[in-house]
Amino acid sequence: MTASEAHHKIKQLSKELDEHNYKYYALDNPTISDYQFDKMLEELIALEKQFPEFLSEDSPSQRVGGQITKEFKSVKHQYPMLSLSNSYNEEDLIDFDRKVREGLGITSSGGLFDFAIEYVCELKFDGLSISLIYEKGKLVQAITRGDGVQGDDVTTNAKTIKSIPLHLKENFPDKFEIRGEVFMPRPVFDAINKEREEIGDALMANPRNAASGTMKIQDSAQVAKRKLDCFLYYVLGEDLPYASHFENMHAAQSWGFKISKDAKLCSGINEVLDFIHYWDKERFNLPFDIDGIVIKVNDYRQQKNLGFTAKSPRWAIAYKFKAEQVSTELQSITYQVGRTGAITPVANLKPIPLGGTTVKRASLHNADIIEKLDVRVGDYVYVEKGGEIIPKIVGVDLTRRQPHTPPTQYITLCPECGTLLERNDGEANHFCPNESSCPPQVIGKMEHFVSRKAMNIDSLGGETIVQLFNAGLVKNIADIYDLKKDQLLPLERMAEKSANNLIEGIEASKQVPFERVLYAIGIRHVGETTAKKIAKKVKSLEVLMHASREELLEIDEVGEIIAISIHDFFSDEKNKQIIARLKQAGLQFALSEEQQQGGSDKLNGLTFVISGVFTKHSREQYKDMIELHGGKNSGSISKKTSYVLAGDNMGPEKLKKAQSLGVKLITEDEFLEMLN
Ligand code: IVH
């Protein structure tokens, strides 16, 4: 084949494929088989490979992605992307209709000349909104909603969505913006989750999260595999062909866009209500999720007269469906004990599908809720799922209650340690006061103690803690420092090497600075930041233990509740003993010499990102040093990063990013030099 023949053939195949693509994805009405389509596409790809000079960037072969987005650039929307005000019942909608009429000066007399407003009713697709900009018939930019004023440029990823045309067919305006919803069809979502389940990957919560997560993937080839789809529902521009929404959307369909065939022109609010009633039931038969109906005034002149509030147009409203509800049997109630001793009652249900997943458990929150709902074991309960993952019980089907079902008696003793539960005035949850020996509380405290931001003993994971606890080797955080290697070796899955690592990790933690020790010991309400503030002020644990309430209240961030909590902690005999043992073990209970002198402001105004492995100090220590000398730590590289403190084996992505933004890399020696 000569080059000019190839060029001709490539153009012809592209044109045909575009047309079939449109019929398949936008009109949902294919006229050739998938097999025929694939054959044509293969032929095109082969030719483009042989004659790369004729490969155009909007060729149908380019839908498979492959380009990487290094960073999703933030861009300002030409017209802000507003949201819609919500309504939940018919009265809200009748009210909306009344306001529209009032706004337009059409008073409802109930008489013969009562004008009905023309509304367009559309499905409210549950995905993420996107704005597409076309110039001279070509897609030039795709932007996410973001905060409504500016969003992320996701053009590369949007190009893999087959229902988004890369170039338009005919009679389109020279420049316009069109908005719609990117979503993941149910069957695609189910297939991906099934595959994930098989390989033991975490499942995706729902199609909406899956769609928005997918649009943020940097590798567009991965995005293409996720088979997203997109309905368009709003077009903006200076020279649109019609003076109404419905007509323009149909024009947009002829330009190449996918428009929902379920949108309907309604005359007056009663027809709108009919539409809603229909879809309230019918929505479950759709191959994608919708969470409501959108109602828009059709006529542009009327839209213009009604205008906008700061947040949303006055000419449109969203009607939200009630959350999907099912009823199922409550088989038992169990009680979980959290790290702080708080008790959470959990309903164990006869498994039932709801909103795409199988529900087996639901939170019952606390004793008051159980009493208010009067739920009893054996009852059929109504379970509801909103946007969140954990479903909730919203009521009981009393018609199905068996006679003589006893009311639920809330437990009085801790299910883990048998201690009498307590409940503070004004608090919803019961709690187990046995802080020092109730297993989940003790284990929870130890997990907190060793965690990264606390003592950072990463060789001591959650499972090992449980093992050590069950073997009776540790009963509190001080016991950790008494562990000997030969006590560890008999434990299951504990090889020589892991035992050594564990002992070394424990030893190294003795150098963790005072403020982190203060956070690690787990005084209620003393978080990471508060611990830092307190440490800076009191300088040693000795001072803190003997501080008066007034002295405590002088510290930034310390209010009444924290002051009481600190006081209670140090008045407890068991805590006093633990602290004494930790001190004995050699933990840092005061600011270091350097810290005492208050560090310096050598790194003022500088932001660091730490990446890789270091030899002289640990990552956590470098973080502390940066803060001590007035610098800031950040987790990700951006234009604002001053330096990347780079150790060995720095991640390739980070390296690439630093280079592309021109951020300077420094070694640990260079960093230490900066401080001297
Ligand atoms: S119209 C100014 N139509 O719902 C009007 N929105 O809170 C702009 N949505 O952010 C929106 N389906 O993500 C419109 N048929 C539809 C829609 C729709 C879903 C989403 C969209 C928007 C949100 C409104």
Side-chain angles (χ1 to χ4, degrees), residues 585-602:
L587 270 61
Q588 303 299 317
F589 275 135
L591 293 182
S592 66
E593 197 86 339
E594 199 179 15
Q595 285 177 314
Q596 293 266 16
Q597 285 154 14
S600 76
D601 53 7
K602 284 182 188 146

Side-chain angles (χ1 to χ4, degrees), residues 82-86 122-130 145 179-181 233-234 291 294 296 308 313 315-316 318:
L82 300 174
S83 62
L84 297 172
S85 54
N86 289 324
E122 296 170 4
L123 305 184
K124 187 168 185 303
F125 310 103
D126 201 9
L128 73 147
S129 43
I130 194 155
R145 178 170 188 275
R179 293 178 179 174
E181 200 86 351
Y233 49 62
Y234 186 34
D291 61 342
V294 178
K296 301 172 182 170
F308 295 82
W315 46 264

Side-chain angles (χ1 to χ4, degrees), residues 103-172:
L104 296 174
I106 307 170
T107 45
S108 173
S109 61
L112 261 181
F113 299 105
D114 218 13
F115 290 102
I117 303 285
E118 195 172 60
Y119 292 110
V120 181
C121 288
E122 296 170 4
L123 305 184
K124 187 168 185 303
F125 310 103
D126 201 9
L128 73 147
S129 43
I130 194 155
S131 190
L132 308 173
I133 298 165
Y134 285 84
E135 276 170 23
K136 302 206 179 332
K138 280 200 190 264
L139 171 65
V140 290
Q141 205 170 37
I143 316 170
T144 62
R145 178 170 188 275
D147 61 5
V149 176
Q150 47 188 39
D152 286 347
D153 181 332
V154 291
T155 314
T156 307
N157 287 347
K159 282 182 173 172
T160 69
I161 301 175
K162 295 193 173 119
S163 44
I164 295 182
L166 304 180
H167 48 248
L168 305 178
K169 289 155 64 73
E170 58 205 9
N171 297 328
F172 43 81

